[in-house]
Each structure stands twice: as C-alpha cells, then as structure tokens.
Amino acid sequence: MTPISLLEILDLPMETIMNNLDFPTIQSLRKTCWYLRNFIDDKKPGECLNQLALIESPNKIDLNLRNKVNWKLYPDGSAICLLFENLENGGTKIYWQRSDGDREKIVEKMDYLDGALKDFEIALNHCKSEFENVHFSPTNDIKFLEKISKILEPRKTIPTKNLDIGIQCPAQAQHFLQYFDSKCLKSIDMSMAQNGIIISENASSAAHLAILSIPLHIIDAATLRALKKQFLESGDDKKHFIRHGMNLKKEILIGAFGPPAQAVLQCTWYFKAFSEKVLQIDANSQFFTLSFVKKSEVPNGFVIYG
Amino acid sequence: MTSPASSSEVKYLIESSEGNTFDVSGAALRQSNTFNAMFLNIGADGPIPFTDYNEATLKKVFEYCEHSVNEENYSGPKHQDDLSKWDLNFFNEMDQKMFIDVINASNFLDIERLTSYCCERIARMLRGKNTQEMIKVITLPTAEELEAKQKVEEKKAAAAKKVAEKAAETAEKTETLEELPVQQLVQTTRNKLTRKYLSFSNE
C-alpha cells in the first residue's frame, strides 16, 4: 500500500488506531509532525504505563516504565527499561533493554540527566489518570534534584497511589513528597541508604494513610529511641509507623525501650504522650509498630513509662 | 421505501453525496449501530441520506456488511493473520484514498467490525517502527494542509455545536422523532453516540 495520510482520518478512528499501538510506537509517531504530537498529547492514547521508576546512580539514570499486569520487556510485553549513561565528552549513551535484544545509541551533546528527565516528563504526560507506583531513588547529586524540580514544580501534584522513595537524607524525602497528591496516596515507602529514620515532616499529608511504611536497613537502639522521641514530640496522634518483615533482636528493643509491659507473643511498651494519649509500641516476628492509643485503652496493670 | 421489518429481505435505499441511491439489505444495514439507533424502529420515508460519503465508499462499506451478514457476532478485533481470504482481498484491493474513506464512513456508521479491522490494519503498519521508518509509511502533511485541516476542524466544531444546540432545542419542542429531518437526526444521534463513547473512554 502507498504511504497513508493519517491526517485524513477522523479523530475517533485515529484514536482507535493509536489505542492499538504500544508506548514506543506512539512516541515515535508523536515525533513525526506537530499535528500528531498535539493529538497524542491531548488524547493520551494507548496503554497506560502507570508504574514508573527513576533510579539515579553516579553518572547513570535508570528509567523504568510498565503497567500493573505486564512485566515482560518490550516488544514481548510493554515494560520499558532505559539506562542513560553520562559520557566524558558530554554526550549520553542510552541503553534500551528489550526482549529481542538490547539496543544502545549515543546521543552527542545531550546531558544524560536531560535525556532521562525528558523521557520521564513524557511518561508523566502520557499517564491518563493516576500512577499505581512511583519510585524515586536519587543520589546526593544536587543537579538531579534541581532538574527534576524544574519539571515537577510547574505541574499539578502527581496523582500516585503508592510512592516509594529511596533517599540519602531526610530533606530528599520532603523534596519529593511535595510533588505528590496526598489525596491519592495510599502508601509511602521510604528507605534510607544511611542509617537513620525519617518520619514524614509532611505529616498532614501522611495523616490519612492507612500505612506509612518506612523500612530501615540498619537499625539500633539509638535509632529506635530517636524514632520514639519523634513520635512523642510530634503532637500528632495520627502518626503511625509500621515496619514489615521485622528482624530486630529482642535485646535491641529492650535496650531502646526498657523491659516490655507485655512479652508473651509480642512485646508491647506504653509511653506517656500528650493530652490523654499514650504511645504504644508493639513488636513481634512480623511487625514493628508505633501508634497512639487513648490512655483508657491501656490494659489494667500495664506500666506506662514517663 | 420499505418498512423497517426485521426480515433480512427488506431493502433500504441509501443516498450518497452525489445524490445517487442504491439498495442495501436490512441485515447488512443493521451492522451499523448508527442506523440501528436511528431507523431500525421508526423506519424512514425515502432514501436514507448518508450524504457525507460518496457512492463508491458507501458501496464498499456495505459490500463488507453484506459479506459479514452470516458471520458470527463480532467479539472484538481479530489478529490480521486470522482474517479470511475474502477479508484480505477486500482490504488489499482498495487504494489509499478509498481505504481512508472507508475507515471514516465505517466510523460514522459505527460498524464495529469493519472499523476495528481497518484501524488494526493501520496500527500494524506503524507498530514497532521508529520515527524514520514511520515517515516511509505515512504521508506527512504540509504546513498548508495542516492549516487547512485546522480551519476545517474549527468550522466543523462550530457547525456541530450549532447542530447540537438546534437539535436540543428541537427535541424539546418536538414530541415525535419523525418530525426531525433525517440528516439532522443522523447527526444528533451520531453526536450522542460519540459523546457516549468518549465518556466511556474517559472513565
């Protein structure tokens, strides 16, 4: 068949055509002319890749995009895995991990951060409704944070159900949290590369969460005490901390909180908090939780530490 | 014009943009959701005016409908490799211009099967290609063409708005559908179908 003029096709069938296309094809088509670019930006056709990960490592950025059900790499599936690597001459090497064999190309005079974040922006623009999962993992590179802020600041907050941030310092967590729509967030999962604890300073946006999960790779008695102190001083009785996959030694917990009020199947501690609230800390083989309860809910005979 | 009995022997007269008329069986015509929504129960006095499309295009579309009358109910798009020899011939013998006219007419008449196959056929031409490869299979519009299209679209949008407003006004005044002009009825129903489709797709 001779080349086809897409311009003559009406909007509705045009959208049907594009809904039959995968994400990379739509992005290639988008680059052919401004009419198609506007059409694609407006209609956001095709499947919605609503799981996004942006992982920075020194001189490299991974950008991964996929949908909830299809984990297979493109073209067998819809998962897009790109790696942008900084070249010494200022260019960027882009690797595209594919089911039919990896591809790579070098783009001269393009900063690797710019390249990755441009595609990140396209992914944000193409998402029809909300992201199921967004994962950020920055290094301490201030340039990356500045560039990502330039992209995120002019936008409305990103509607995301589950946010997963691997951070280097507490400020980074706050930096990312401000760009997410607190009404959509169902969970926030933060991990730190260094030993430390983050309780979201953005407590008002986290207060409604069913679970605020903050897994810590390394934890000791001092860290646990710091966590307890943050809760007691927060004045926010909705603050809730759960760590899954508990593997703390009982001795560390006792070292941090003293002898537990209850220690049969799980260890429980109570600490006097603000108003009529008591901070309850529970630990068993599965969970380690901190939450506030009313003083009247503490069982009779249990010690409430000052 | 025949009455709209449900028998497949019933023939309907279709009017094209040239003002020409030709017969289409009721069974073939009923594959058009647009027709079903407008005429199936109320009938039509005189030829049914599908005057946005020329005779050759409409004949081609209804040729497909006549052929697929006895096929089982449509259950979503088939892979192109699963198309019958007749289907492949049907698509292959069309030139580019006719093919696009058929897509647009099929979309207007809301013939799911044909629209879906046509769209999938184009999608297949594009799928997996990079921008450079794509430029070889699609004709890129010139700046003048784009400008002309934009103007046409603006005019169409304005006209559609007027028609919709007039139709809403008329619908309030008119108690029976028969009192509406056929072409306006076509447009109004089509607008409703389109709105319905769009509202689903936005959910």
Side-chain angles (χ1 to χ4, degrees):
Chain A
M1 191 179 275
T2 48
I4 201 148
S5 173
L6 296 181
L7 194 70
E8 290 172 36
I9 298 174
L10 297 174
D11 283 4
L12 215 54
M14 180 72 114
E15 208 175 336
T16 310
I17 291 166
M18 292 197 189
N19 282 333
N20 288 345
L21 298 175
D22 50 66
F23 185 81
T25 305
I26 289 175
Q27 295 314 315
S28 296
L29 191 59
R30 188 180 173 275
K31 290 180 200 162
T32 57
C33 75
W34 67 258
Y35 172 75
L36 290 173
R37 187 190 65 210
N38 290 348
F39 185 88
I40 289 165
D41 290 350
D42 182 36
K43 306 282 183 190
K44 303 184 197 322
E47 68 176 325
C48 187
L49 299 180
N50 60 3
Q51 310 227 14
L52 187 158
L54 193 62
I55 303 157
E56 190 197 13
S57 46
N59 287 317
K60 283 178 189 173
I61 292 192
D62 279 282
L63 175 64
N64 300 330
L65 265 173
R66 61 179 180 82
N67 67 26
K68 199 177 175 184
V69 287
N70 194 338
W71 289 61
K72 282 187 182 170
L73 284 173
Y74 179 85
D76 281 353
S78 56
I80 313 288
C81 292
L82 298 169
L83 173 65
F84 297 79
E85 190 180 294
N86 189 27
L87 296 177
E88 282 182 1
N89 63 5
T92 302
K93 194 173 202 177
I94 306 170
Y95 297 89
W96 185 1
Q97 205 183 334
R98 297 167 55 113
S99 60
D100 58 355
D102 295 356
R103 291 187 188 175
E104 58 179 66
K105 73 171 177 182
I106 291 174
V107 184
E108 307 279 349
K109 295 176 187 170
M110 183 180 80
D111 181 73
Y112 77 110
L113 286 174
D114 292 336
L117 292 179
K118 195 176 173 192
D119 281 2
F120 165 72
E121 195 174 10
I122 288 171
L124 289 182
N125 290 339
H126 196 81
C127 190
K128 279 178 195 161
S129 51
E130 61 183 14
F131 282 97
E132 190 69 27
N133 290 305
V134 172
H135 172 69
F136 283 119
S137 185
T139 63
N140 277 322
D141 180 7
I142 192 78
K143 211 168 118 191
F144 172 76
L145 291 177
E146 280 174 2
K147 283 183 185 266
I148 206 165
S149 295
K150 269 190 187 171
I151 291 171
L152 297 177
E153 258 162 26
R155 311 173 68 92
K156 287 181 188 169
T157 48
I158 305 166
T160 304
K161 275 188 187 169
N162 306 299
L163 176 63
D164 177 2
I165 318 177
I167 46 175
Q168 303 293 323
C169 63
Q172 284 185 340
Q174 290 159 36
H175 183 87
F176 283 112
L177 273 173
Q178 63 180 313
Y179 300 121
F180 288 85
D181 185 349
S182 62
K183 285 175 191 161
C184 292
L185 279 171
K186 298 276 183 280
S187 78
I188 302 173
D189 196 332
M190 283 186 242
S191 57
M192 276 180 64
Q194 298 158 3
N195 187 14
I197 283 180
I198 302 298
I199 296 297
S200 169
E201 292 299 323
N202 194 2
S204 58
S205 72
H208 71 291
L209 298 176
I211 294 175
L212 176 59
S213 169
I214 307 172
L216 304 169
H217 299 301
I218 307 162
I219 201 160
D220 56 15
T223 310
L224 290 174
R225 277 196 293 269
L227 177 63
K228 185 190 84 178
K229 192 175 172 219
Q230 284 209 31
F231 264 72
L232 290 175
E233 291 175 357
S234 70
D236 176 10
D237 63 0
K238 291 190 174 60
K239 205 181 271 284
H240 194 163
F241 176 98
I242 297 180
R243 186 194 175 210
H244 299 273
M246 169 76 172
N247 56 3
L248 282 175
K249 288 182 181 165
K250 201 171 172 182
E251 300 79 56
I252 295 177
L253 291 160
I254 292 171
F257 306 128
Q262 174 188 300
V264 186
L265 290 174
Q266 68 176 28
C267 298
T268 304
W269 293 264
Y270 294 101
F271 295 92
K272 193 178 173 199
F274 39 84
S275 307
E276 285 300 298
K277 298 286 179 179
V278 170
L279 174 64
Q280 180 178 318
I281 301 177
D282 292 306
N284 62 23
S285 58
Q286 297 297 319
F287 295 102
F288 170 59
T289 68
L290 286 85
S291 59
F292 289 97
V293 296
K294 287 180 187 165
K295 201 173 178 182
S296 58
E297 290 171 20
V298 177
N300 284 337
F302 279 42
V303 182
I304 301 174
Y305 292 109
Chain B
M1 183 63 219
T2 53
S3 67
S6 58
S7 160
S8 60
E9 290 83 44
V10 173
K11 296 276 185 186
Y12 288 81
L13 268 182
I14 302 294
E15 186 183 346
S16 68
S17 60
E18 301 96 328
N20 299 339
T21 56
F22 60 94
D23 282 347
V24 174
S25 76
L29 205 46
R30 276 197 298 279
Q31 289 182 48
S32 158
N33 290 329
T34 305
F35 166 81
N36 288 338
M38 292 184 305
F39 300 108
L40 192 61
N41 296 320
I42 60 171
D45 295 327
I48 300 173
F50 291 135
T51 49
D52 279 347
Y53 299 95
N54 64 35
E55 185 181 2
T57 303
L58 290 171
K59 278 189 171 169
K60 194 74 185 165
V61 169
F62 288 116
E63 178 193 341
Y64 187 86
C65 294
E66 294 284 5
H67 175 78
S68 49
V69 160
N70 294 323
E71 285 191 19
E72 51 199 56
N73 289 337
Y74 178 69
S75 58
K78 276 195 281 187
H79 195 276
Q80 291 282 310
D81 295 339
D82 299 331
L83 291 180
S84 68
K85 201 176 169 186
W86 188 94
D87 286 329
L88 287 172
N89 281 339
F90 174 83
F91 289 118
N92 289 339
E93 68 187 18
M94 280 186 270
D95 62 17
Q96 193 247 83
K97 169 91 177 66
M98 171 67 87
F99 184 52
I100 286 177
D101 286 346
V102 165
I103 295 174
N104 289 335
S106 173
N107 169 65
F108 172 80
L109 292 164
D110 201 1
I111 301 165
E112 280 181 72
R113 190 194 301 258
L114 180 57
T115 309
S116 163
Y117 289 169
C118 289
C119 291
E120 171 55 24
R121 197 170 169 82
I122 295 183
R124 206 182 188 201
M125 288 166 63
L126 303 171
R127 202 172 289 136
K129 290 191 167 58
N130 63 32
T131 306
Q132 293 308 314
E133 292 165 337
M134 235 168 232
I135 287 170
K136 291 175 189 165
V137 295
I138 62 173
T139 308
L140 289 179
T142 61
E144 291 77 27
E145 284 173 325
L146 286 171
E147 203 179 319
K149 182 168 172 78
Q150 204 169 359
K151 279 182 185 167
V152 169
E153 275 180 3
E154 280 167 11
K155 272 187 188 174
K156 268 189 186 172
K161 197 180 167 191
K162 269 188 187 174
V163 169
E165 282 169 1
K166 205 174 175 186
E169 216 174 88
T170 316
E172 279 173 21
K173 289 178 188 167
T174 315
E175 292 217 346
T176 60
L177 286 169
E178 283 123 349
E179 289 174 38
L180 280 172
V182 171
Q183 189 59 51
Q184 187 179 327
L185 199 60
V186 171
Q187 190 60 50
T188 311
T189 314
R190 185 66 188 147
N191 286 343
K192 278 182 189 168
L193 285 170
T194 306
R195 275 202 298 276
K196 190 180 171 192
Y197 176 82
L198 287 175
S199 69
F200 280 133
S201 65
N202 287 337
E203 277 171 9

